[in-house]
Amino acid sequence: MLTDVLLVTKVLNGERDYFDILIKKYERVIYNYIFNITLNKEDSEDIVQEVFIRAYKSLYKLENKANFYSWIFKITINTMNTHFNRKKQYIPLEDNLLIDVSCDINDTPEEIFKIKEENKQLLQKLSVLNQDQRNAIILKYVQGFSYKEIAEILQIKEETVKIKINRGKKKLYDLNKNKAK
Amino acid sequence: MKCNMNMLFDYIDGNLADENTEKFETHLESCEVCRETIRTFKLMETVGEQEYGVTVDVVQSVKNYTDKNMYDRKKYVFINKYMSNRKSFIKYASLTVIALTIVGGIIINNNHGFKDSVKDGVIIDAFKNKDFDKELADNAKSIVNTSYYNDFVKVLQEKGYQIVEGSFAGGPIQLPQNLDREGKNIDVANILNNGNKSSISSGLDFSGYLGKKVMLLTCIKEEPNNNRKEVICILTKDRIIGFWEEQILNDNKKELYSYTLLRDLKVDDFKDGLGNISSQDTDFIKIDNLPQFYTVEMARSNGDVLLGLSDNNNDRFHKFLNDYENKVNSRVRIAIYHIKNDATIVDLIYDGDGIKAIINETRDPSISKEIYGTKEYKVLNINKKNKNNTIFYTATLENNTELILAYENEK
């Protein structure tokens, strides 16, 4: 497997084709991340394309080439923020946005429906968090990044990440608590 | 047991001690709040495991919307190349703008212009020698009043050095008045002192330039063992005045440290008042108030000059030049489209004193946040050049950047 360092170096040396390998390597995880948050195929397609276009154009700014993975997440989050600031909404809660969800071909309609419902419920819960808390919690619990990686992606201190995640946790806990009352 | 949030999250993260786990699980049976919270976090894990196929050809769309030769090193330097190929001209224009932003202004040296001098320059030959670093230092002094800068960058890039954005993008810095190791800038003084010592050993002494506005250029080369070699150059408008090397061990802290320190010296070039926009132009929407999705159609109907497109309103540009010659206040807006609706917008304003250029690049997605926003430059010169039967109009900005404004076929 070619390392990211090598791939990035090759691209920066003018060997453009190596960027295709980088795309192939990461498009799936990026697309899935975006899709899990937007639940909208069109938005996800737009964003994933924009992410890699941005990444290509600013590749020369990547200081530590070994960090390509977290760097591309950084771009993804920025792109999503811009995208949804433009649209003035972040989380789609209307049912009709879920219609064109693409699922695995082998899934039964019931399974597809279940997945959609679960995602929707989760996003509804997470909508009590502010944008930073939500990003941090999703990166930690959905994507499984470490605190250190999240700090890099969100360009904040590791301690701040922990604080944000803890606050987010508390909010989610309080939400359930209030519901129980 | 009472409901305990810390315990709950330790349980979720798998950090709860064994003796507490049992206790907690008993509590769980009776606590809906904890169960529901656990369910939420479990759900996140499940969601993370779902896989959707990518439904769009990302590889192709990146190809369609980027310049595949962007990292062909020669293109950064041989801007002349673009001038000989009109089809590439749009690319050239956007490259200029990108260059303008990343470089903070010196990719095209004032003296360099569009001359074809790069290829047969003496400097290149001198730099072809294997022993680059010594050669570079020896020759740096002789690079005076030439197209030295582009060649210099080219050599650095050929030798595997990469320009570091933090310093390069910052462009001008102001050297402190003295290098006394006192006061709050003690670290800056240390860096510059040591730098100058080693620079003197290469034959360049910049102590005569203290207090002056200069340009800082830092280049990095990856070395084996994760070490990096750094070349720091201090340049004035027409010469290299300081040059030293540093071996950076794989210790990010130190690296970050010296960059931030040098960056602290940055000069706010645009602080000085440049005169206000003349009030007679009320029909002009202020550049900051233009819609984010500023389409070609909108630009065209507003009478903006559209660089490189057909039906480009170039007559507006000529009116502006006429007004300028006749000393009549005037302004013109130029929209430079790169891909689609991502125009860089340049306002040229003549207010009797001189021309200023207001540049807004907020629509270009490739430009990082730090340099988002509107910047204002003095225009030193408007240049007209004829190349292969095409007439190009460019502006030389106060930071010695050449900005393309319009072009058209020779009549």
Side-chain angles (χ1 to χ4, degrees):
Chain A
M1 193 73 183
L2 293 167
T3 65
D4 291 353
V5 178
L6 188 65
L7 291 170
V8 173
T9 313
K10 290 264 187 198
V11 178
L12 289 176
N13 285 341
E15 295 181 58
R16 162 69 181 73
D17 291 348
Y18 284 90
F19 196 73
D20 296 350
I21 304 179
L22 281 168
I23 297 177
K24 283 287 162 208
K25 197 170 167 188
Y26 291 115
E27 62 174 2
R28 216 178 156 84
V29 60
I30 299 292
Y31 181 84
N32 277 287
Y33 175 78
I34 301 165
F35 190 84
N36 280 329
I37 295 177
T38 60
L39 290 186
N40 178 303
K41 198 173 143 211
E42 265 178 37
D43 281 342
S44 309
E45 287 175 354
D46 285 354
I47 296 169
V48 74
Q49 293 180 66
E50 201 178 331
V51 165
F52 282 98
I53 291 171
R54 279 192 190 195
Y56 179 74
K57 285 186 174 177
S58 43
L59 195 63
Y60 68 94
K61 293 179 195 163
L62 174 59
E63 285 201 11
N64 186 351
K65 291 176 189 133
N67 290 343
F68 184 83
Y69 185 46
S70 56
W71 182 73
I72 194 104
F73 260 93
K74 195 187 321 182
I75 296 181
T76 307
I77 285 173
N78 287 341
T79 311
M80 286 175 80
N81 289 346
T82 340
H83 190 86
F84 289 107
N85 285 343
R86 234 183 257 159
K87 282 190 130 185
K88 302 230 181 299
Q89 75 179 72
Y90 196 82
I91 289 195
L93 293 173
E94 298 88 7
D95 287 314
N96 57 4
L97 285 170
L98 295 172
I99 291 166
D100 57 358
V101 169
S102 84
C103 288
D104 198 301
I105 235 161
N106 299 322
D107 289 346
T108 62
E110 290 77 25
E111 277 168 342
I112 294 173
F113 182 78
K114 197 178 145 242
I115 292 171
K116 285 179 192 170
E117 276 306 302
E118 278 177 358
N119 273 14
K120 209 178 113 188
Q121 272 179 24
L122 178 61
L123 287 174
Q124 253 158 354
K125 286 221 163 127
L126 295 186
S127 66
V128 297
L129 308 178
N130 68 30
Q131 197 165 301
D132 283 352
Q133 293 165 349
R134 190 165 53 225
N135 281 334
I137 290 236
I138 290 177
L139 287 169
K140 172 88 182 143
Y141 288 97
V142 179
Q143 296 304 126
F145 278 110
S146 70
Y147 288 118
K148 194 170 166 245
E149 286 165 326
I150 298 170
E152 234 162 64
I153 293 169
L154 298 178
Q155 289 172 286
I156 49 180
K157 283 190 194 134
E158 208 174 316
E159 286 310 308
T160 322
V161 174
K162 284 183 189 162
I163 292 169
K164 283 192 193 304
I165 287 181
N166 281 339
R167 289 208 180 126
K169 281 173 173 173
K170 188 170 184 305
K171 266 195 194 172
L172 290 171
Y173 175 76
D174 288 346
L175 176 79
N176 290 330
K177 210 172 178 182
N178 290 338
K179 252 192 209 162
K181 271 178 192 169
Chain B
M1 193 183 104
K2 268 182 94 181
C3 197
N4 179 330
M5 195 180 77
N6 291 338
M7 232 182 210
L8 166 67
F9 284 111
D10 280 347
Y11 181 77
I12 289 172
D13 292 339
N15 295 335
L16 194 61
D18 284 347
E19 67 263 30
N20 286 334
T21 307
E22 212 170 298
K23 245 197 263 170
F24 182 75
E25 279 172 349
T26 320
H27 160 76
L28 212 51
E29 281 165 24
S30 63
C31 179
E32 175 59 25
V33 178
C34 283
R35 277 207 304 272
E36 184 57 27
T37 313
I38 290 173
R39 221 178 69 80
T40 309
F41 280 82
K42 274 263 150 57
L43 194 56
M44 276 196 243
E45 256 173 55
T46 327
V47 165
E49 282 159 10
Q50 287 159 18
E51 276 267 344
Y52 309 100
V54 186
T55 46
V56 62
D57 188 348
V58 182
V59 169
Q60 193 53 46
S61 64
V62 173
K63 272 192 185 134
N64 292 347
Y65 288 107
T66 55
D67 174 5
K68 73 173 167 44
N69 295 324
M70 179 174 171
Y71 294 114
D72 182 346
R73 273 172 273 154
K74 286 175 200 130
K75 298 235 166 178
Y76 275 115
V77 181
F78 284 105
I79 269 180
N80 287 314
K81 218 173 170 181
Y82 289 89
M83 305 305 287
S84 56
N85 182 356
R86 275 174 29 217
K87 278 183 193 155
S88 310
F89 201 74
I90 288 282
K91 279 186 210 159
Y92 164 67
S94 58
L95 192 78
T96 315
V97 176
I98 292 168
L100 175 75
T101 17
I102 25 179
V103 164
I106 36 175
I107 212 159
I108 309 176
N109 184 275
N110 206 9
N111 301 322
H112 182 44
F114 294 115
K115 283 179 297 180
D116 281 317
S117 59
V118 183
K119 285 158 208 155
D120 44 29
V122 185
I123 301 124
I124 291 177
D125 290 329
F127 281 147
K128 270 180 187 159
N129 291 336
K130 278 179 201 157
D131 189 6
F132 156 70
D133 298 319
K134 190 177 172 297
E135 203 71 42
L136 181 66
D138 289 341
N139 282 286
K141 257 205 306 188
S142 67
I143 309 171
V144 177
N145 287 327
T146 61
S147 54
Y148 81 99
Y149 181 73
N150 282 350
D151 299 331
F152 186 60
V153 170
K154 180 170 179 274
V155 172
L156 287 167
Q157 288 178 337
E158 271 175 4
K159 298 290 172 185
Y161 282 89
Q162 279 183 11
I163 291 155
V164 176
E165 193 209 347
S167 63
F168 202 28
I173 61 166
Q174 184 159 21
L175 292 173
Q177 289 295 345
N178 56 59
L179 295 182
D180 291 346
R181 297 181 183 207
E182 284 169 16
K184 61 176 179 175
N185 276 342
I186 181 160
D187 299 310
V188 172
N190 274 338
I191 292 172
L192 292 176
N193 252 323
N194 294 335
N196 200 31
K197 258 185 217 155
S198 119
S199 184
I200 288 169
S201 67
S202 315
L204 293 170
D205 183 353
F206 62 83
S207 56
Y209 287 83
L210 294 180
K212 297 261 163 58
K213 289 179 184 179
V214 296
M215 204 66 80
L216 179 79
L217 172 64
T218 308
C219 298
I220 290 266
K221 185 175 173 178
E222 306 278 349
E223 297 271 287
N225 308 328
N226 271 342
N227 292 339
R228 300 165 112 190
K229 204 182 215 181
E230 182 184 278
V231 167
I232 296 170
C233 315
I234 297 179
L235 310 111
T236 63
K237 198 168 159 185
D238 56 358
R239 60 189 300 190
I240 298 165
I241 54 166
F243 167 87
W244 71 93
E245 251 179 51
E246 265 172 34
Q247 187 86 24
I248 295 183
L249 301 176
N250 191 20
D251 175 6
N252 288 334
K253 254 187 198 161
K254 190 204 162 198
E255 194 182 328
L256 197 72
Y257 191 51
S258 81
Y259 291 159
T260 40
L261 285 168
L262 290 171
R263 236 182 310 197
D264 288 344
L265 298 169
K266 209 191 290 178
V267 183
D268 184 3
D269 257 0
F270 318 111
K271 216 161 42 192
D272 309 330
L274 293 170
N276 293 319
I277 301 168
S278 40
S279 53
Q280 61 185 30
D281 298 301
T282 44
D283 59 332
F284 247 76
I285 307 170
K286 229 181 140 223
I287 201 161
D288 288 325
N289 299 338
L290 286 172
Q292 196 60 28
F293 274 93
Y294 192 56
T295 62
V296 176
E297 290 70 27
M298 288 159 101
R300 187 173 281 136
S301 68
N302 282 346
D304 302 353
V305 175
L306 296 162
L307 183 81
L309 301 181
S310 58
D311 195 7
N312 50 20
N313 291 332
N314 264 6
D315 47 343
R316 295 275 182 143
F317 181 69
H318 288 290
K319 182 181 174 295
F320 174 79
L321 288 186
N322 260 334
D323 289 346
Y324 172 53
E325 273 166 28
N326 300 327
K327 305 234 177 297
V328 178
N329 285 3
S330 185
R331 61 187 302 166
V332 67
R333 175 165 291 160
I334 298 163
I336 305 164
Y337 283 89
H338 313 291
I339 309 172
K340 212 174 109 189
N341 301 340
D342 59 351
T344 296
I345 297 169
V346 179
D347 277 359
L348 290 182
I349 298 165
Y350 174 68
D351 56 4
D353 276 346
I355 300 178
K356 62 185 173 183
I358 301 175
I359 302 177
N360 178 301
E361 298 174 283
T362 50
R363 286 161 198 82
D364 187 341
S366 66
I367 289 169
S368 74
K369 254 192 185 156
E370 302 88 76
I371 34 187
Y372 260 32
T374 308
K375 284 182 182 167
E376 202 173 288
Y377 300 82
K378 271 183 195 153
V379 175
L380 305 178
N381 257 323
I382 301 269
N383 317 302
K384 183 177 173 182
K385 278 153 192 159
N386 190 329
K387 181 98 183 174
N388 296 345
N389 300 327
T390 305
I391 298 173
F392 298 101
Y393 293 92
T394 62
T396 310
L397 304 184
E398 59 184 337
N399 56 2
N400 287 323
T401 311
E402 200 142 0
L403 179 69
I404 184 92
L405 302 172
Y407 70 97
E408 60 194 4
N409 289 331
E410 193 180 22
K411 275 162 198 159

